[in-house]
């Protein structure tokens, strides 16, 4: 049996097949009061978890929706009853509370572990069965639940299992936003938690009711954060789930994209020497973060011999650097643009191949870099790998709307984007997948090249004389 509450807040009609590019993403948090059933959202988005034996469920599960500024998006909430509701039919049976907040473009995840010490005894025949509940502060000053730990039975000194949580879920990328944690409660922030195990990460658990009644009340125990927060920005190449996983049996998706495009475009390069750069990693020996580093480890000479040399440098770099974020495109684009700016006679044309998992951290700077580069002899190919959403990449492509930055439009379209997953052969034929990718990803390069030359009035150089092997007499035909 489903009951539909029609007096919900209206947010619009959403058609995923004909939708335009969303302005941003919002996170929907749901809680209820005076109800005995769980929330279910059918068809489009999924359902919450079931919460037993409460009239005021506070659901941990969040829903991430694309928000379209120019559209009206209606959302309907349906409820499945665990048992029949009491009261008079047609009368109010409770309230649903929906909170929405725009999501920050934060990719970090954090690993945390907590333990308690000398917590209050709550059970008559035993000790306590403590668990932690984390609440994130919202922009309006309210708090919403973001994580629950497991219950540790019959102890006043619990050690909860380590858990991994996106920083976006914990504080929406705001390191100083407080996380509200109840035997009692305490408040802290992600910035404080990120210090790891220290004297600053031991928190007194205070029960406000007890504090108001007992003059000598100190606390209800302490909770200690006992592991350092570890930031996970990109999966480790040793893990099979990583897009960079180096399998002994087949190329990973990064390598397939690199080989597919590189083996064709290298034939248009006279010396077959290619500078290969990485972005988003901690470099040895000091662990500094770089968004523009040589894959071969030689910043003075980042050139590799042929695409095979680039592939080898890529594999070696995975063994020596630690993948890290954020993911910034603009430093690499500006790097190539500096070379392109030094050539204005048409003797050279530069093609930058970027292979990415789809997340970009410096969108505004990247758009400005592309607008600046549009007047230079260069093109940019972006290949998206993995299952991520590539809305930002589509915007950079500029096929439908010319890319602009601060009111200035790009002189010409120089970006071609394709998602690799659209070209993967269903039978597992990687050779066919790579051939399909290369064909489409290089399709716009000739027109981009010609448009630059024509707008500059640069004409093709005279063809060189035919090659004559040494010792062969010249033949002349009259």
């Amino acid at each position: 049996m489903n009951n539909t509450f029609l007096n919900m807040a209206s947010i619009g009609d959403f058609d995923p097949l004909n939708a335009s590019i969303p302005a941003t993403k919002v996170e929907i948090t749901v809680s209820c009061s005076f109800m005995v059933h769980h929330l279910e959202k059918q068809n489009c988005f999924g359902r919450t978890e079931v919460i037993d034996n409460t009239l005021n469920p506070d659901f941990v599960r969040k829903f991430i929706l694309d928000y379209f500024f120019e559209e009206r998006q209606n959302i309907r909430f349906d409820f499945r009853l665990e048992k029949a509701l009491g009261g008079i039919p047609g009368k109010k049976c409770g309230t649903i509370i929906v909170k929405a907040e725009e999501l920050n473009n934060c990719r970090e995840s954090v690993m945390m572990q907590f333990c308690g010490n000398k917590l209050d005894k709550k059970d008559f025949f035993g000790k306590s069965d403590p668990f932690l509940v984390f609440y994130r502060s919202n922009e309006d000053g309210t708090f919403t639940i973001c994580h629950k730990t497991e219950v540790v039975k019959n102890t006043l000194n619990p050690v909860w299992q380590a858990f991994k949580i996106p920083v976006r879920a914990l504080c929406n990328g705001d390191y100083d936003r407080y996380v509200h944690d109840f035997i009692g409660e305490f408040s802290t922030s992600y910035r404080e938690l990120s210090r790891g195990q220290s004297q600053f990460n031991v928190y007194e658990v205070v029960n406000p009711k007890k504090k108001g009644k007992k003059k000598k009340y100190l606390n209800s125990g302490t909770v200690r954060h006992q592991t350092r927060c570890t930031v996970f920005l990109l999966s480790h190449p040793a893990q099979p789930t990583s897009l960079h996983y180096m399998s002994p049996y087949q190329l990973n998706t990064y390598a397939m994209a690199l080989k597919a495009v590189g083996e064709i475009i290298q034939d248009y390069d006279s010396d077959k020497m290619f500078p290969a750069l990485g972005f988003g990693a901690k470099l040895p020996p000091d662990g500094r973060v770089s968004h523009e580093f040589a894959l071969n480890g030689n910043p003075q000479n980042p050139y590799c011999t042929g695409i095979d040399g680039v592939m080898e440098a890529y594999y070696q770099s995975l063994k020596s650097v630690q993948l890290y974020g954020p993911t910034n495109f603009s430093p690499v684009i500006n790097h190539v643009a500096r070379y392109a700016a030094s050539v204005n006679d048409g003797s050279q044309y530069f093609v930058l191949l970027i292979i990415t998992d789809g997340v970009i951290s410096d969108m505004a700077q990247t758009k400005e870099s592309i607008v600046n580069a549009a007047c230079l002899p260069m093109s940019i190919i972006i290949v998206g790998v993995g299952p991520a959403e590539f809305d930002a990449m589509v915007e950079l492509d500029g096929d439908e709307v010319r890319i602009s930055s601060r009111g200035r439009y790009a002189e010409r379209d120089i970006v071609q984007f394709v998602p690799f997953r659209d070209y993967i052969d269903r039978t597992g034929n990687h050779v066919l997948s790579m051939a399909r990718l290369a064909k489409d990803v290089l399709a716009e390069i000739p027109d981009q090249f010609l448009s630059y030359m024509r707008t500059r009035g640069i004409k093709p150089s005279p063809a060189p004389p035919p090659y004559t092997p040494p010792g062969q007499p010249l033949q002349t035909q009259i």
Side-chain angles (χ1 to χ4, degrees):
M1 175 180 176
N2 286 337
N3 277 359
T4 302
F5 290 77
L6 299 178
N7 58 340
M8 295 295 98
S10 177
I11 322 179
D13 292 328
F14 176 64
D15 181 359
L17 298 178
N18 299 305
S20 56
I21 297 175
T24 186
K25 290 183 181 292
V26 294
E27 180 184 81
I28 302 295
T29 300
V30 180
S31 58
C32 304
S33 60
F34 306 110
M35 293 185 179
V36 291
H37 52 273
H38 74 273
L39 173 68
E40 177 186 15
K41 296 193 68 223
Q42 296 180 339
N43 300 327
C44 292
F45 305 114
R47 64 176 65 184
T48 69
E49 72 279 12
V50 176
I51 299 181
D52 295 327
N53 300 322
T54 179
L55 300 181
N56 302 287
D58 203 357
F59 300 103
V60 176
R61 171 82 184 274
K62 313 294 183 185
F63 299 95
I64 309 299
L65 291 82
D66 288 330
Y67 170 71
F68 297 85
F69 173 78
E70 70 280 9
E71 296 183 13
R72 176 183 172 90
Q73 297 168 255
N74 292 319
I75 299 178
R76 190 184 79 177
F77 295 90
D78 291 345
F79 292 86
R80 177 170 295 173
L81 307 182
E82 294 298 312
K83 59 182 180 180
L85 285 171
I88 302 173
K91 296 294 184 179
K92 180 179 177 181
C93 297
T95 303
I96 176 174
I97 301 119
V98 180
K99 293 182 179 292
E101 181 173 347
E102 182 178 357
L103 288 178
N104 186 288
N105 187 20
C106 178
R107 301 176 60 201
E108 299 177 8
S109 294
V110 61
M111 182 73 78
M112 296 192 292
Q113 186 176 21
F114 292 84
C115 65
N117 183 45
K118 297 181 180 179
L119 300 180
D120 278 356
K121 178 181 176 181
K122 292 294 182 180
D123 295 346
F124 185 77
F125 292 107
K127 295 181 180 178
S128 290
D129 302 327
F131 60 94
L132 287 176
V133 181
F134 294 81
Y135 290 87
R136 182 184 77 193
S137 63
N138 302 314
E139 293 174 328
D140 60 359
T142 61
F143 286 85
T144 54
I145 189 170
C146 60
H147 183 74
K148 287 181 181 178
T149 68
E150 76 283 3
V151 176
V152 181
K153 294 286 188 178
N154 197 32
T155 180
L156 302 182
N157 301 292
V159 178
W160 290 281
Q161 293 180 8
F163 62 92
K164 181 180 176 182
I165 184 173
V167 172
R168 191 163 70 175
L170 194 64
C171 61
N172 202 13
D174 181 356
Y175 285 17
D176 297 309
R177 183 183 297 196
Y178 273 89
V179 183
H180 189 65
D181 227 87
F182 212 139
I183 311 177
E185 64 184 11
F186 65 88
S187 295
T188 183
S189 68
Y190 174 64
R191 188 176 299 280
E192 292 172 348
L193 291 174
S194 65
R195 296 174 180 173
Q197 184 175 356
S198 70
Q199 61 184 16
F200 302 105
N201 269 327
V202 178
Y203 303 96
E204 288 190 347
V205 179
V206 177
N207 188 315
K209 292 183 179 180
K210 282 190 174 183
K211 187 175 182 179
K213 294 178 180 179
K214 298 181 180 181
K215 293 182 179 180
K216 295 183 179 181
Y217 175 81
L218 296 177
N219 58 56
S220 295
T222 60
V223 168
R224 176 164 54 94
H225 181 208
Q226 64 176 28
T227 60
R228 178 161 182 82
C229 292
T230 306
V231 177
F232 295 86
L233 298 160
L234 292 171
S235 52
H236 195 278
Q239 298 172 343
T241 54
S242 171
L243 294 171
H244 292 280
Y245 178 59
M246 294 183 290
S247 169
Y249 307 108
Q250 65 181 37
L251 299 174
N252 64 36
T253 49
Y254 274 86
M256 281 195 285
L258 178 59
K259 192 174 181 67
V261 179
E263 285 192 339
I264 291 180
I265 206 168
Q266 72 175 350
D267 291 333
Y268 296 91
D269 188 276
S270 56
D271 61 6
K272 305 292 189 294
M273 297 296 293
F274 302 101
L277 303 174
F279 54 91
K282 284 185 174 181
L283 307 185
D286 56 354
R288 66 181 179 87
V289 178
S290 175
H291 304 291
E292 181 189 344
F293 62 93
L295 290 184
N296 64 3
N298 186 350
Q300 282 72 42
N301 183 19
Y303 286 82
C304 304
T305 304
I307 292 303
D308 289 340
V310 175
M311 299 280 287
E312 179 62 26
Y314 163 62
Y315 288 133
Q316 290 301 319
S317 70
L318 291 178
K319 300 175 183 178
S320 60
V321 305
Q322 178 188 347
L323 303 179
Y324 202 82
T327 302
N328 296 340
F329 281 14
S330 57
V332 175
I333 295 174
N334 293 337
H335 179 100
V336 177
R338 286 193 292 270
Y339 285 94
S342 65
V343 180
N344 53 21
D345 60 357
S347 60
Q348 296 183 60
Y349 193 85
F350 298 80
V351 178
L352 170 62
L353 170 62
I354 297 177
I355 305 173
T356 177
D357 62 5
V359 180
I360 179 171
S361 305
D362 63 339
M363 187 64 173
Q365 294 88 339
T366 295
K367 291 169 69 174
E368 183 166 6
S369 297
I370 292 174
V371 170
N372 293 335
C375 62
L376 301 175
M378 66 178 287
S379 292
I380 301 172
I381 296 171
I382 303 176
V383 178
V385 297
E389 294 297 327
F390 294 114
D391 295 342
M393 301 300 108
V394 174
E395 182 180 355
L396 297 180
D397 191 302
D399 280 345
E400 297 181 3
V401 179
R402 183 67 59 87
I403 190 172
S404 63
S405 174
R406 295 194 286 186
R408 188 164 59 97
Y409 284 85
E411 178 182 309
R412 60 195 181 93
D413 177 18
I414 65 169
V415 178
Q416 168 73 337
F417 164 74
V418 295
F420 194 9
R421 60 175 176 241
D422 290 355
Y423 300 89
I424 295 178
D425 182 68
R426 294 181 179 179
T427 65
N429 187 333
H430 295 312
V431 175
L432 184 57
S433 302
M434 293 162 64
R436 290 172 176 170
L437 172 71
K439 179 180 178 181
D440 272 17
V441 82
L442 297 172
E444 293 186 7
I445 298 298
D447 286 341
Q448 293 174 0
F449 169 78
L450 291 174
S451 71
Y452 174 81
M453 298 300 175
R454 285 168 179 163
T455 55
R456 266 76 182 163
I458 300 173
K459 299 184 181 299
S461 301
Y467 175 71
T468 303
Q472 294 290 327
L474 293 175
Q475 294 184 358
T476 304
Q477 183 176 14
I478 300 176

